[in-house]
Amino acid sequence: VVDAGNGAGGFYARDVLAPLGADIEGSQFLEPDGMFPNHIPNPENEEAMQSICQAVLDAKADLGVIFDTDVDRGGAVDARGEEINRNRLVAIASAIALEGNPGGTVVTDSITSSGLKEYIEQTLGGVHHRFKRGYKNVINEALRLNQEGVNCPLAIETSGNPALRENYFLDDGAYLAGKLVIAVAKAKREGKTIDHFIANLCTEYADREVRFPILTDDFHAYGTSVLETFKKRALQSGFELPKSYEGIRIRFSGVCTGWMLLRASLHDPVMVLNLEGHTPRVLEIITGIAQSLVEGFDKLDLSAL
């Protein structure tokens, strides 16, 4: 099932999959319509994902594929109608990209889960290189690493922007969809489902993202000062600060296992706080720590925390 959301991706069902012999019955919203009358063409949109999940179940399909408007981002749905996006999508893309690239490096943005890092490095034997938010940032980092002689076959954001070296690091949702279709077809021939790729991926964690509007016109300078103070407070509290390519990351281990990352938005007058704990209770504890670290910033709207 292909869901183009009335964006530009309808060609993928009609001109790619159907001529190859795929059954595309149940595909929906293939005709471009700039009014987007059915749902927003966005794999991160809840309504859009609910729509394709139901379409996959109704058609009893092996795989669902959904694109954003211009097909540079994609998401997927398995035969059970469950989403394959964000960390699960990155994990499957990594498994595919690291075939034939033992020890290869996967570049992602900064908010991927701890479970994904363990999966890439311990299960796949690769290297996980967390970089910055922004698909051009992860692509440019992958290009830089390859130029330096690092075997880096994949750059991908959790938003679904994939770029593979074999496809010249174009951000191309349709190309990754093709790789997923091949993987599903091979798995079905072997009596498996696509889930076998990520059987060892830990998905039991709790996370949240909180956005703090900056209440001053000079938001770049204020954001920089917030990060400097946040870092000082974290160090004074004895927290572990691993290397981070944007913002300030704190890693927690032991009984309280998880992390938080405070960073400035790429475009907006906003500070963004990402939090992850290995259980909902741990997430609550980490949220409490975050509250103590950000209190007193008079030009941040902290109400969302």
Side-chain angles (χ1 to χ4, degrees), residues 17-39:
L17 295 182
L20 290 172
D23 179 358
I24 60 169
E25 184 178 352
S27 293
Q28 57 188 16
F29 318 139
L30 303 182
E31 295 303 322
D33 184 336
M35 299 303 290
F36 308 120
N38 295 290
H39 61 66

Side-chain angles (χ1 to χ4, degrees), residues 87 91 112-123 128 130 200-205 259 276:
N87 289 293
T112 48
S113 71
S114 297
L116 177 68
K117 185 174 186 66
E118 292 173 1
Y119 174 76
I120 290 174
E121 297 191 347
Q122 297 178 17
T123 299
H128 181 204
R130 275 199 188 108
N200 295 322
L201 173 67
C202 176
T203 58
E204 295 182 2
Y205 62 90
W259 54 269
E276 180 186 303

Side-chain angles (χ1 to χ4, degrees), residues 9-10 14 16 25 54 78 83 90 95 100-101 113 134 170-171 204 211 219 242 270-271 273 290:
R14 293 187 302 260
V16 178
E25 184 178 352
Q54 189 59 53
D78 66 22
E83 297 179 17
V90 175
N101 288 291
S113 71
L170 298 173
D171 51 313
E204 295 182 2
R211 300 173 69 85
F219 59 88
V270 171
M271 301 297 293
L273 179 67

Side-chain angles (χ1 to χ4, degrees), residues 18-280:
L20 290 172
D23 179 358
I24 60 169
E25 184 178 352
S27 293
Q28 57 188 16
F29 318 139
L30 303 182
E31 295 303 322
D33 184 336
M35 299 303 290
F36 308 120
N38 295 290
H39 61 66
I40 296 171
N42 181 354
E44 293 188 289
N45 178 265
E46 183 177 353
E47 180 186 359
M49 292 308 300
Q50 287 176 348
S51 179
I52 187 173
C53 286
Q54 189 59 53
V56 167
L57 292 174
D58 291 344
K60 296 181 173 58
D62 296 295
L63 182 70
V65 175
I66 183 170
F67 297 120
D68 72 343
T69 317
D70 59 347
V71 204
D72 63 350
R73 287 193 295 127
V77 176
D78 66 22
R80 299 170 298 179
E82 295 185 5
E83 297 179 17
I84 303 172
N85 60 6
R86 299 182 66 79
N87 289 293
R88 291 184 76 209
L89 182 65
V90 175
I92 292 177
S94 299
I96 292 170
L98 290 176
E99 288 183 354
N101 288 291
T105 295
V106 174
V107 179
T108 73
D109 58 354
S110 58
I111 63 170
T112 48
S113 71
S114 297
L116 177 68
K117 185 174 186 66
E118 292 173 1
Y119 174 76
I120 290 174
E121 297 191 347
Q122 297 178 17
T123 299
L124 300 181
V127 176
H128 181 204
H129 183 67
R130 275 199 188 108
F131 196 56
K132 301 177 181 179
R133 293 282 279 166
Y135 74 97
K136 288 300 293 182
N137 286 329
V138 296
I139 290 173
N140 287 339
E141 181 69 356
L143 289 168
R144 182 188 70 81
L145 290 172
N146 278 287
Q147 288 168 358
E148 293 182 356
V150 177
N151 177 15
C152 178
L154 174 66
I156 184 168
E157 258 207 314
T158 49
S159 62
N161 262 105
L164 285 90
R165 181 176 58 200
E166 66 186 64
N167 193 35
Y168 306 100
F169 281 118
L170 298 173
D171 51 313
D172 188 343
Y175 192 86
L176 179 59
K179 303 290 283 189
L180 291 173
V181 170
I182 293 168
V184 169
K186 287 182 176 179
K188 188 170 184 179
R189 190 168 58 195
E190 298 169 1
K192 301 176 182 177
T193 67
I194 197 169
D195 284 343
H196 85 277
F197 277 104
I198 53 172
N200 295 322
L201 173 67
C202 176
T203 58
E204 295 182 2
Y205 62 90
D207 63 349
R208 64 183 295 205
E209 179 175 283
V210 187
R211 300 173 69 85
F212 306 131
I214 300 176
L215 308 176
T216 178
D217 291 338
D218 192 8
F219 59 88
H220 287 298
Y222 189 76
T224 298
S225 69
V226 166
L227 290 174
E228 290 173 351
T229 302
F230 183 85
K231 182 178 181 178
K232 289 178 183 177
R233 292 177 178 178
L235 289 171
Q236 289 169 356
S237 299
F239 295 130
E240 180 185 358
L241 273 62
K243 184 176 182 179
S244 179
Y245 290 92
E246 66 175 345
I248 306 300
R249 180 182 294 272
I250 301 174
R251 181 164 55 210
F252 305 95
S253 57
V255 176
C256 177
T257 301
W259 54 269
M260 74 171 73
L261 173 68
L262 182 67
R263 58 190 172 85
S265 168
L266 292 175
H267 308 294
D268 303 318
V270 171
M271 301 297 293
V272 185
L273 179 67
N274 291 92
L275 307 142
E276 180 186 303
H278 76 279
T279 67

